Structures are given as C-alpha cells and as structure tokens.
Amino acid sequence: MPEDHVALIGPINRTLFVATSLLLCFLFCTFPLTTSQRLQSQMTLLCILLCSILFLLLSPLPNPRSLNFFYDSLALSAWKTTGFSTWSLRVNPSSGNLHPAEAYLIAPPIESLSDSPFVAHYAPKGHTFEIRATIPSEFFPKFFPDNSFLIGISSIFWREAWKYGERAFRYCNHDVGHAIGAIAMAAATLGWDVKLLDGFAYKDLEKLMGLQIFPDFKIPSRPIKGKFPDIEFEHPDCLILVFPNGSNQFDVNYKELSSAINQFSNLEWKGRPNSLSKEHICWDIIYRTAEAVKKPLTIQKGEFPADQLKNSGICSENSYKGLTIREVVRKRSAVDMDGVTVMERQTFYQILLHCLPSGKGEKHRGQLALPFRALSWDAEVHAALFVHRVIGLPKGLYFLVRNEDHLEELKKATKSEFKWNKPEGCPNDIPLYELATGDWRELAKHLSCHQDIASDGCFSLGMVAHFEPTLSEKGAWMYPRLFWETGVLGQVLYLEAHAVGISATGIGCFFDDPVHELLGLKGSKFQSLYHFTVGGPVLDKRIMSLPAYPGPSIDA
C-alpha cells in the first residue's frame, strides 16, 4: 500500500467510528453518577456527538456505485485463519493467492471522491481509493462518452516470481485475465459495459497510471540473486473503458489520446509503493519476455466497437442454485476435489454454453457475450476437456471449439483417429466434440504435474490457444493477451461452478509438451496455456472463515 497516497475514508471506517461513539453514549447514560460527574459526562457526551456529526459531514463518502463495482470485482472476499496464521482472499482469483495485479481508477469528478478528474489507486485491504493525481478537466469530455471512466491494471512480477520463478510471467497474465473477467461481470450488474482500449502503447499506459515513477530496471544476462529494489516495479498491462450499456458508437482517436496522455508525465504524482522484499532473485527471462511483448501505439481512428450484448444460451436453468451475483462472485476456489461429486449432463452443457464467446444463435468467433466482450479480438482459445464424472456422458476426451473458423484447422492438426462426433444430447449451439472415450483420470492427473485435483473433479480441461498464427498476424504483443483470454475463460468456470453449487480452481502447473503429444499437435500452431478443474470441493474444517470487512489488523 503506498505510503503517502491520499487515502479516502471508506464506509466501514465511518460505521465503526459512529458505532463506537454510540456505544460510549450508552455507557455514559447507564452508569450511576454523582451530580458533578453527570454534568461532566453530559459535556463529554455532547463533544462526542458533535465530533460524530462533524465526521459524517466532513469525511468523504465514496460514491456507492463505484464502491459496489470494486466490491464485486477486486475487493477482499474473506479472511481465513487457522492456528497463528491469518490471510485474506479476494474476489478476483490469483495464482498462489499472491495477487500481483494492481488496479487504478481514472475518472471524471465523482461526488465525495474528487472535485476534479483524477487517477486513484484502489486499495483492497481497506476497500478505499488513494488519489495519485488530478488530471486535466477536458480529458474525459474530449475523448470519451458521458458517464464513462477507465480502469487500469498493472502487474508486479516479483510477487509471483519469488515463489514460482520463470512461470511468474504466465501466472501474472492469467491473473490479468481473471481481473478483466471480474470487472466485466461487476460492471454488467450496474448497467455498464466494458471494453479493452487496446490501441495504446506500453508507454501510454505507464504515463496514464503514473508508473513512470519507477526507475528503469536493468535486466541481468542470467538469473541472479541479490538486492534489486527496482525489480518490484509495476508493469502496466491494460486499460479498460467502462461506459453505459447500450451506448451509441463513438470515435476513439488513439493518436490524439496518446498525445494528451504524454502530458501526464508533468502532473504532480503522489505516493510511493511499499516494497515487499529486502533480497530478490531475478529470473531474467521474465523481464526479457515482458520487454519483447511490449505493445506499440496502434494509430487508428474510427468507431469504437460498442457491439450489442449477446446473451449466452440456456439449456438447463434449473441447474443453478438461486444465488445472487454477489454470493457467487464472493465464493472461493477449491483446494482439493472430493473425487465423488457427479454432475448431470445438462448441467455440464449449461456451463459450456457460458464458456462460448459469441452468445446464443451466433457462429462462435467474435467475443460478444459476457464477460468475453471486454476483449478486443476474436476468440483464440479452445478447451480440451477430460470428462470424469458427468452422468449420461461417457468418460473421455472432448474438445470445445470456441472459434468455429478454426474447426477444420484443428481437425488437421490433431490425431487422425479422433472421432470429432457431437455427444449425445448436446445442444446445437455448443461446438463440442467427442474425440475418444475411456477413463482419462490418471492421464489428466499426470499432465497437471501429478496433481489429484485434475482427476478428482467432474471434469478438467486444458486451454489450447491458436498460437503462432495469431502472433504472426497481429504481433508479439498478443502473447500476454492469449493468457488474458484464458484467464477470462477461467473466471467464467469459477462463477459457473459456484452458481451450480460446486467449485473450481485453476491449475497453473502442467506439462505442455505431453498435452500437445496427447492431442497430436506439432509445432507451435496450437499451444496449451492454462489448465482448470471443476468438481466437488473438499472443505478443510481446520480453517475458519471471517468477513472481508472489517478485517483483522494485519497486512492483506
């Protein structure tokens, strides 16, 4: 948490203060007192009440809609405690619960937050905003539609690298995708739409979020251990426009926007982030990869693609347990699967319907349904599914084609003996294909670094991206974006699993070459980027859950 940001007081702190004041008032009124003591206590009581009133009048009250938006997307979801250990969880999942992602709100004036347009850092522990800078008043009216604002996402690679080494780059970008999915869903509950503003260059995002305050990190020629405080810099990932659902098409001129953002370097930026570690191990490949995939400015002018929202298909509405959106998004991922829970076939199909990008009645390619519509490219990620415990569906290997333009290419790229048959009872809207039947539990476990969670759920899957052709056509900067897409898909699987009464979790450790060998994939046309599992969770009764707010007085 930055040391000298201007922290705005959240509603929780206000509530605690006023509750404490009322409790003191009650105590003064109930204890037996002498006349002089009563007079003194009345004066004290009056002071307390006046202070409470002044506190309510003068302390800023964050805009309720903006707080709800962050509460249902990037806030803490709970605290867990066992023995002497206590830790927090968040609405947006993270590899190892390490949370390398940071979020920034860039917005016009918001009542009780700021009288001027501003950039603020979101602090999940206190569910508060920390003002970093005020920005020119003409910025939003000139470039964006009314009632819109921006969310910036950045990553601190070191938060993952200290534990996972080279894999940190992949995990950080999975987390960006989960955050994008969480933001899109939370926005939809408030009548807002979201879209990546993907024309910006890396340097534009850096200036917009005030991340140019970090010195350039000098990348060593090999992995090295030592004291490298600069390694904890924030890497700007993406910028998301949040705007009213149903808005008309509008123009986005990235060249003019880039020129305006260039002046943000001259703003008075407040705050310096705290450091995490005194010593570091620099995995140079992480930073060389990040350097190689930095996006240049895309010079384009034209209508912003505010495409009409397409609803996902429904084939088994009764599969859902009647939970509210808030109840669903605040449930947490599984640590272990029970190896017993089974799923009805129609529930399985219902989950897959919501994993498709284009919505009901569409040929699947463009990303028009929630939350995939936040992404600015056609679907490039598919799913190879290991079905273990789905009633009415044979155990085996299946494939969900999320961009139907790739179907023939996939058939040619995979093993010739695969059937590519539609499963029994599968709705026409789902491009799901049975490749081979059989018990694949041990193999699924082996492919996911011998982890039982891959075999003990109802089904598990590997996300397979249309890889080399995408990078060749669009540029190396699409590399992290393919991981973002897997993260968004993973976020849907989390939400769907919780909504039908079970659970899910991402699997970051897997053997990609054996996955390719299993499918018959050669070269780099298609690549496995993320694994996932869905099933009945094992609850650890030793761990107690506590409310997210107010949390214990320790670091989140």
Side-chain angles (χ1 to χ4, degrees):
M1 180 174 173
E3 295 169 345
D4 59 341
H5 284 183
V6 180
L8 295 179
I9 299 171
I12 295 155
N13 297 331
R14 296 163 56 90
T15 302
L16 288 174
F17 185 91
V18 174
T20 302
S21 301
L22 293 174
L23 177 60
L24 288 171
C25 293
F26 172 77
L27 292 174
F28 273 124
C29 292
T30 55
F31 276 84
L33 302 169
T34 65
T35 303
S36 60
Q37 288 175 328
R38 186 175 295 109
L39 180 61
Q40 186 177 4
S41 67
Q42 287 172 346
M43 294 299 295
T44 305
L45 176 60
L46 180 61
C47 288
I48 292 173
L49 291 174
L50 286 173
C51 287
S52 298
I53 293 168
L54 284 171
F55 182 84
L56 290 169
L57 290 174
L58 298 179
S59 64
L61 176 63
N63 180 282
R65 283 168 66 84
S66 61
L67 279 172
N68 285 339
F69 172 66
F70 280 86
Y71 187 79
D72 291 331
S73 58
L74 303 174
L76 300 190
S77 60
W79 287 84
K80 299 288 185 176
T81 183
T82 181
F84 296 103
S85 298
T86 302
W87 64 97
S88 63
L89 302 174
R90 299 193 196 179
V91 173
N92 54 311
S94 174
S95 302
N97 196 36
L98 296 175
H99 291 285
E102 295 290 332
Y104 292 85
L105 172 63
I106 305 101
I110 295 179
E111 184 180 359
S112 297
L113 272 180
S114 175
D115 294 332
S116 304
F118 64 95
V119 178
H121 172 259
Y122 176 62
K125 183 182 178 183
H127 189 40
T128 56
F129 299 103
E130 302 164 336
I131 302 296
R132 295 283 328 279
T134 55
I135 61 178
S137 58
E138 68 274 9
F139 183 72
F140 275 92
K142 182 176 180 180
F143 294 112
F144 299 109
D146 292 340
N147 301 312
S148 63
F149 58 94
L150 303 169
I151 302 293
I153 302 293
S154 67
S155 295
I156 301 173
F157 297 138
W158 173 245
R159 285 192 188 159
E160 293 282 341
W162 72 266
K163 182 176 183 179
Y164 294 118
E166 292 181 1
R167 286 180 284 165
F169 184 81
R170 174 157 50 102
Y171 293 173
C172 286
N173 284 290
H174 287 153
D175 283 11
V176 172
H178 279 288
I180 292 170
I183 287 168
M185 296 303 292
T189 66
L190 295 169
W192 296 335
D193 204 351
V194 300
K195 201 76 172 181
L196 282 178
L197 291 177
D198 222 11
F200 287 113
Y202 173 92
K203 285 293 183 183
D204 295 323
L205 300 184
E206 190 178 57
K207 293 171 184 173
L208 185 62
M209 298 182 224
L211 304 182
Q212 75 285 349
I213 64 169
F214 294 98
D216 291 336
F217 179 61
K218 295 179 180 178
I219 306 171
S221 59
R222 58 183 175 82
I224 189 171
K225 184 177 182 179
K227 295 182 179 180
F228 311 111
D230 295 348
I231 204 172
E232 297 189 26
F233 73 93
E234 288 185 42
H235 176 280
D237 294 302
C238 64
L239 188 67
I240 301 167
L241 177 65
V242 184
F243 56 98
N245 192 12
S247 295
N248 295 326
Q249 298 279 2
F250 50 92
D251 290 343
V252 173
N253 187 322
Y254 283 107
K255 185 175 182 179
E256 289 187 8
L257 266 168
S258 178
S259 179
I261 290 170
N262 192 50
Q263 303 305 312
F264 280 34
S265 298
N266 301 322
L267 299 176
E268 181 184 353
W269 291 94
K270 301 174 182 178
R272 290 279 175 179
N274 294 336
S275 60
L276 177 66
S277 307
K278 293 181 179 179
E279 292 191 349
H280 308 83
I281 298 176
C282 177
W283 300 90
D284 59 298
I285 189 65
I286 296 173
Y287 305 95
R288 295 189 187 283
T289 304
E291 196 68 29
V293 300
K294 283 182 178 179
K295 187 185 177 300
L297 177 66
T298 304
I299 303 296
Q300 56 181 328
K301 182 179 179 181
E303 286 191 336
F304 186 76
D307 304 304
Q308 182 180 356
L309 172 66
K310 297 291 184 180
N311 292 325
S312 298
I314 295 290
C315 71
S316 181
E317 194 167 4
N318 292 335
S319 296
Y320 297 113
K321 302 302 180 183
L323 302 174
T324 66
I325 291 291
R326 179 160 290 177
E327 288 172 327
V328 170
V329 302
R330 301 188 77 76
K331 287 183 175 288
R332 297 310 310 137
S333 60
V335 177
D336 293 303
M337 297 295 179
D338 60 17
V340 176
T341 299
V342 297
M343 176 184 292
E344 294 291 338
R345 184 176 69 188
Q346 289 304 107
T347 301
F348 176 68
Y349 289 151
Q350 181 58 65
I351 290 173
L352 295 189
L353 274 170
H354 282 153
C355 291
L356 294 170
S358 302
K360 183 178 180 181
E362 300 287 331
K363 179 182 179 181
H364 293 290
R365 182 184 65 185
Q367 313 221 57
L368 304 174
L370 277 170
F372 307 106
R373 62 184 288 101
L375 305 177
S376 58
W377 57 88
D378 288 344
E380 303 288 1
V381 173
H382 309 283
L385 297 120
F386 300 94
V387 172
H388 306 315
R389 297 174 181 83
V390 178
I391 298 173
L393 199 62
K395 295 178 181 179
L397 179 64
Y398 294 75
F399 205 94
L400 181 68
V401 180
R402 297 183 64 256
N403 185 331
E404 294 183 85
D405 286 353
H406 299 166
L407 177 58
E408 294 306 316
E409 195 175 355
L410 282 162
K411 287 182 178 181
K412 291 177 183 178
T414 53
K415 289 181 178 179
S416 58
E417 62 262 31
F418 285 159
K419 301 174 184 178
W420 290 96
N421 292 333
K422 289 282 285 187
E424 182 180 350
C426 183
N428 293 331
D429 285 349
I430 306 178
L432 177 69
Y433 300 91
E434 178 190 298
L435 302 186
T437 55
D439 190 339
W440 295 74
R441 287 177 294 179
E442 279 302 310
L443 183 56
K445 174 182 173 179
H446 167 73
L447 294 175
S448 292
C449 296
H450 306 282
Q451 296 179 83
D452 291 334
I453 52 174
S455 58
D456 288 348
C458 300
F459 67 93
S460 61
L461 58 97
M463 300 184 197
V464 178
H466 192 229
F467 190 76
E468 193 277 331
T470 303
L471 302 190
S472 296
E473 178 188 348
K474 298 179 180 177
W477 50 268
M478 274 300 296
Y479 179 65
R481 285 159 177 77
L482 292 176
F483 288 102
W484 300 355
E485 187 174 339
T486 66
V488 176
L489 178 55
Q491 188 68 13
V492 171
L493 287 166
Y494 270 123
L495 300 181
E496 286 293 303
H498 295 154
V500 301
I502 52 178
S503 192
T505 189
I507 304 175
C509 182
F510 55 89
F511 302 124
D512 50 359
D513 286 341
V515 172
H516 302 151
E517 183 180 349
L518 167 70
L519 295 172
L521 300 173
K522 297 178 180 179
S524 56
K525 183 173 286 187
F526 293 96
Q527 292 282 299
S528 179
L529 300 185
Y530 194 17
H531 283 208
F532 227 84
T533 184
V534 177
V538 175
L539 301 179
D540 192 336
K541 296 181 180 179
R542 298 170 301 172
I543 299 176
M544 180 185 299
S545 293
L546 303 171
Y549 303 104
S553 299
I554 65 170
D555 290 337

